[in-house]
Amino acid sequence: MRRSAFRRSLTLFWWLMVAFLYLPLGVIVLYSFNAANSAAYFAGFSLRWYERLLGNDQLLTALGNTLVLGVASSVIALVIGTLIGYGMYRHRRRKLGWLIALIYLPIVMPDIVFGISEMAFFITLDREFGVLGPSLATMIIAHVTFQIPFVALIVYSRFVGLDPTLFEAAKDLYASPFQRARHFLLPTLKPSLVAAFFLAFTLSVDDFVISFFTAGPENATLPIYIWGAIRRGVSPEINAIATLMILSVAIAAVISLLFNKESRRN
Amino acid sequence: MTVSPTASTAPEGAVREASSITLDGLRKRFDGDAIALDGVDLTIHAGEFFTLLGPSGCGKTTLLRILAGLEAPDDGTLTIGGRDVTTTPPHLRSVNTVFQSYALFPHLSVSENIAFGLRMKGVPVDERRARVDRIAEFIKLGALLERGVNQLSGGQRQRVALARALVCEPDVLLLDEPLSALDAGLRTQLQVELQRTQKRLGMTFVFVTHDQDEAMVMSDRIAVLDNGVIQQVGPPHEVYERPINAFVAKFMGHVNLFAIEAVDADRVTTGLGELVMDPPLEKSGHSGVLLIRQEVVELGHAVSEGYNGLEGVVKERHYRGSRIEYRLEINGVTLMATAANLGQRLYAVDDRVTVSIHPEDIVRLNA
């Protein structure tokens, strides 16, 4: 009797936690469909804020910037991170633990530190050599640097989970180094690569701090645009943008999760 | 059925000529570790079922990996089919391996796994399919071809790994303890199947195991390794009945080893007492140990004519179904004896028995 009461209270606690996490998001989604101009009351269902979004050129530019930045940085991070992950696996037996710790460091580094360092670095380059002034390029580089460790670790953990004799079996079955990459490594890695790409993309779309410090005046991304817009007061339009972002990030996260699961099942 | 009706019954491997292997002065040492191989000279004949037998760490797996090209020797040469392949990388050697873990590719189906080697060699699709079907029929895998490798049992995986290696028709097939992960019944069955497969194909097989029974059942010849050195090479009966030294004897399962204490004319003194050997020991053989195999020890009430006779007491009896093992004590020394269970009266613990050992059944070994 007492035990079941305890279990019920645990279940209750669980649902409270879920509510705590998701209610604010729910409120935003709800008010994005609000017919009224104010967030004080709900005046009925409307798509007017979504319609308004479509006519907002600044916002569409920001959305475009976000997508270009997200895709470009994720693709670059995927290539470099995969190579690093493979290298970490190949040399795991040597005493390179500190190198692997080095890969973890950017993950735990506060974004603000990262962003300011990147900014200082790019400004110096710009001043001394006249290259890499704040632009989409600097943002892509900055994003790639924080995405790489995530990609490398996903790829590395996939390799560690494989039977090491598979690499030897491929050699034994006449596969040249190129054929081993093409017919063994890449297909085996595929689910992990898809997962890593979508994780990197989610991180990029989500990022505000690092983008903020490395962006040029023309390169506002959605988070930067929203931040600017909110300073002028919260408009229900922001709720509509936020809802769309929640949706797209959720989709990317689910895809990443599904593929990571598949790669672990094999 | 996935087996194509065009598949013939004879596997192509049977047509091909088998290759011999020559190892000359092979040495291998791993960084900081003990020596893995310490000068191995060995010739493996074409079409032979050859087994490398030894305890873990004896160098047998290193030797196999050098044959496969997965490990490079520090010194020495390796010739397969008359060609020096010492420095040839694995993907350019006509050698295939059945790995202990089977190493089936998880992203490929059974048929794709089997076809992998042919695909890498650039064999055209049609021929590839025909050869996969043929080998699948030969190894009895037809119904499994379209499955994923995660849906297979241990025995099925073993068969797929074997088919994947055999379909390439290599000069030499290497098998790295391929049966050790299977349960006893299946293992016995696959031992027979493997041996049959090898005889039908006439291919050179090099098999690695630590199980002396498995080695004896399957092999044409066995090499026993210890500490990176080949101790003895020979057909199973020779290695078992005439082991060259105490290590080989113990590894083959023998327990009755007695140090030679003195030799007087044709009589040899050991802890058991005085024994007559036929032929008698030569002068050079006055040290070392004597081996008396458990199964040559005869128990009775009287000493048989021309036998060595000893008096002992039964200390333990182990009933094994088809045979009975006795632990006897003679002059304070333990002698194990095995008797076939033919329905005779069994001795009980503390019974006094007379032990007969024929002079020809006593073997002198190096210590």
Side-chain angles (χ1 to χ4, degrees):
Chain A
M1 206 48 211
R2 234 193 311 152
R3 183 172 167 74
S4 80
F6 177 66
R7 289 188 141 225
R8 260 206 303 278
S9 64
L10 274 186
T11 313
L12 183 71
F13 182 70
W14 159 251
W15 285 113
L16 275 175
M17 288 303 299
V18 170
F20 187 71
L21 287 172
Y22 284 95
L23 261 184
L25 297 180
V27 170
I28 292 222
V29 172
L30 180 70
Y31 276 92
S32 74
F33 296 109
N34 192 355
N37 222 335
S38 156
Y41 58 94
F42 195 78
F45 181 82
S46 157
L47 288 175
R48 58 185 280 213
W49 306 115
Y50 289 89
E51 280 161 23
R52 180 93 73 90
L53 285 186
L54 292 176
N56 186 337
D57 285 342
Q58 255 186 312
L59 180 124
L60 291 181
T61 311
L63 179 67
N65 283 340
T66 302
L67 291 179
V68 171
L69 171 62
V71 172
S73 63
S74 302
V75 168
I76 298 171
L78 191 67
V79 174
I80 303 177
T82 302
L83 294 176
I84 293 179
Y86 182 59
M88 281 161 67
Y89 174 75
R90 278 290 298 270
H91 301 291
R92 69 195 180 285
R93 295 245 167 71
R94 301 196 193 158
K95 295 188 176 92
L96 292 178
W98 61 275
L99 206 61
I100 292 176
L102 219 56
I103 284 287
Y104 277 101
L105 207 56
I107 293 181
V108 294
M109 182 97 71
D111 280 0
I112 187 92
V113 176
F114 215 85
I116 291 174
S117 331
E118 299 268 356
M119 181 181 68
F121 178 65
F122 288 131
I123 286 175
T124 310
L125 279 185
D126 192 22
R127 198 180 52 222
E128 300 294 324
F129 305 105
V131 291
L132 288 176
S135 63
L136 196 59
T138 52
M139 294 174 85
I140 291 176
I141 294 173
H143 278 222
V144 167
T145 53
F146 75 75
Q147 289 167 325
I148 280 176
F150 290 95
V151 176
L153 289 175
I154 288 179
V155 169
Y156 174 70
S157 66
R158 170 60 174 149
F159 277 132
V160 167
L162 282 180
D163 173 2
T165 37
L166 285 173
F167 294 82
E168 299 186 334
K171 285 184 202 171
D172 187 65
L173 292 162
Y174 311 109
S176 65
F178 176 74
Q179 284 177 315
R180 294 204 285 276
R182 162 94 180 68
H183 295 286
F184 165 59
L185 290 181
L186 284 180
T188 311
L189 271 187
K190 203 170 91 191
S192 302
L193 293 182
V194 174
F197 176 84
F198 280 98
L199 179 65
F201 182 75
T202 310
L203 290 169
S204 169
V205 170
D206 177 55
D207 173 72
F208 167 72
V209 178
I210 293 166
S211 303
F212 182 77
F213 282 109
T214 51
E218 310 292 308
N219 316 115
T221 59
L222 262 187
I224 293 176
Y225 171 81
I226 292 171
W227 185 73
I230 281 179
R231 286 208 301 188
R232 295 189 297 270
V234 181
S235 146
E237 223 179 307
I238 301 296
N239 293 337
I241 306 171
T243 303
L244 292 178
M245 284 184 74
I246 292 170
L247 190 70
S248 54
V249 167
I251 290 173
V254 166
I255 293 175
S256 169
L257 204 71
L258 286 179
F259 274 90
N260 214 4
K261 220 175 176 178
E262 185 185 318
S263 84
R264 241 173 289 146
R265 204 180 39 230
N266 280 339
Chain B
M1 279 302 279
T2 43
V3 172
S4 114
T6 55
S8 75
T9 44
E12 255 167 54
V15 200
R16 199 169 153 151
E17 199 154 324
S19 298
S20 64
I21 306 171
T22 315
L23 312 172
D24 190 12
L26 281 190
R27 276 170 212 284
K28 176 75 187 176
R29 165 175 229 150
F30 292 107
D31 306 333
D33 283 347
I35 295 165
L37 291 178
D38 195 5
V40 170
D41 301 301
L42 186 63
T43 302
I44 298 171
H45 306 313
E48 187 172 40
F49 197 126
F50 193 88
T51 297
L52 301 170
L53 175 67
S56 61
C58 71
K60 59 190 193 298
T61 298
T62 305
L63 193 51
L64 195 79
R65 291 172 60 82
I66 288 175
L67 291 177
L70 297 170
E71 213 81 69
D74 299 335
D75 201 9
T77 55
L78 165 62
T79 317
I80 297 178
R83 251 188 53 191
D84 184 343
V85 294
T86 314
T87 54
T88 308
H91 66 278
L92 300 177
R93 289 189 191 193
S94 181
V95 170
N96 287 108
T97 309
V98 178
F99 293 92
Q100 188 170 13
S101 65
Y102 312 138
L104 302 179
F105 298 114
H107 66 288
L108 299 177
S109 70
V110 168
S111 64
E112 288 167 331
N113 258 288
I114 298 175
F116 191 88
L118 300 177
R119 202 164 133 220
M120 295 303 110
K121 280 205 283 191
V123 174
V125 182
D126 292 344
E127 190 191 334
R128 218 149 76 195
R129 196 165 302 146
R131 280 169 69 173
V132 169
D133 286 343
R134 214 176 305 147
I135 202 78
E137 193 185 359
F138 184 65
I139 310 277
K140 302 185 195 80
L141 276 173
L144 302 173
L145 277 180
E146 296 317 313
R147 293 231 189 133
V149 293
N150 293 328
Q151 296 162 269
L152 302 178
S153 69
Q156 289 169 334
R157 280 161 184 257
Q158 202 278 330
R159 281 203 175 88
V160 174
L162 181 64
R164 184 176 71 172
L166 283 178
V167 78
C168 300
E169 294 162 19
D171 291 341
V172 176
L173 187 77
L174 308 177
L175 304 104
D176 185 9
E177 309 213 20
L179 306 178
S180 62
L182 306 174
D183 59 66
L186 191 56
R187 203 148 99 194
T188 317
Q189 181 196 335
L190 287 176
Q191 283 168 2
V192 176
E193 272 182 39
L194 260 184
Q195 193 194 20
R196 222 179 266 157
T197 303
Q198 190 266 341
K199 289 286 165 269
R200 258 177 85 178
L201 296 176
M203 199 184 276
T204 311
F205 275 32
V206 181
F207 188 91
V208 159
T209 184
H210 61 265
D211 181 332
Q212 81 280 6
D213 288 328
E214 192 165 281
M216 286 193 284
V217 168
M218 303 171 78
S219 317
D220 294 320
R221 285 196 307 154
I222 298 172
V224 184
L225 277 93
D226 185 38
N227 284 327
V229 177
I230 292 183
Q231 305 289 324
Q232 186 172 8
V233 183
H237 67 89
E238 204 176 289
V239 176
Y240 181 77
E241 293 168 27
R242 292 272 182 265
I244 201 158
N245 59 27
F247 171 81
V248 175
K250 283 181 196 155
F251 200 78
M252 297 311 290
H254 299 307
V255 289
N256 295 331
L257 296 172
F258 305 98
I260 297 173
E261 289 166 3
V263 180
D264 177 25
D266 61 342
R267 303 206 144 247
V268 184
T269 311
T270 69
L272 280 180
E274 286 195 345
L275 297 168
V276 176
M277 287 178 69
D278 183 23
L281 282 182
E282 290 169 25
K283 261 235 150 55
S284 60
H286 288 190
S287 65
V289 292
L290 296 188
L291 163 67
I292 301 166
R293 288 187 284 122
Q294 291 191 56
E295 59 272 22
V296 303
V297 176
E298 291 178 21
L299 305 180
H301 294 291
V303 179
S304 314
E305 180 65 34
Y307 280 59
N308 290 292
L310 297 163
E311 291 296 321
V313 177
V314 176
K315 287 293 181 185
E316 279 171 21
R317 187 177 77 191
H318 305 293
Y319 186 81
R320 303 254 185 221
S322 64
R323 63 188 199 279
I324 297 104
E325 285 174 12
Y326 295 103
R327 187 169 77 78
L328 309 173
E329 203 174 275
I330 299 168
N331 297 332
V333 174
T334 293
L335 180 75
M336 296 296 294
T338 302
N341 186 359
L342 306 171
Q344 76 275 40
R345 191 182 76 81
L346 302 186
Y347 296 101
V349 171
D350 292 335
D351 278 1
R352 297 198 66 81
V353 289
T354 301
V355 174
S356 306
I357 300 164
H358 197 272
E360 282 178 10
D361 287 331
I362 303 174
V363 184
R364 193 201 77 89
L365 319 175
N366 295 318

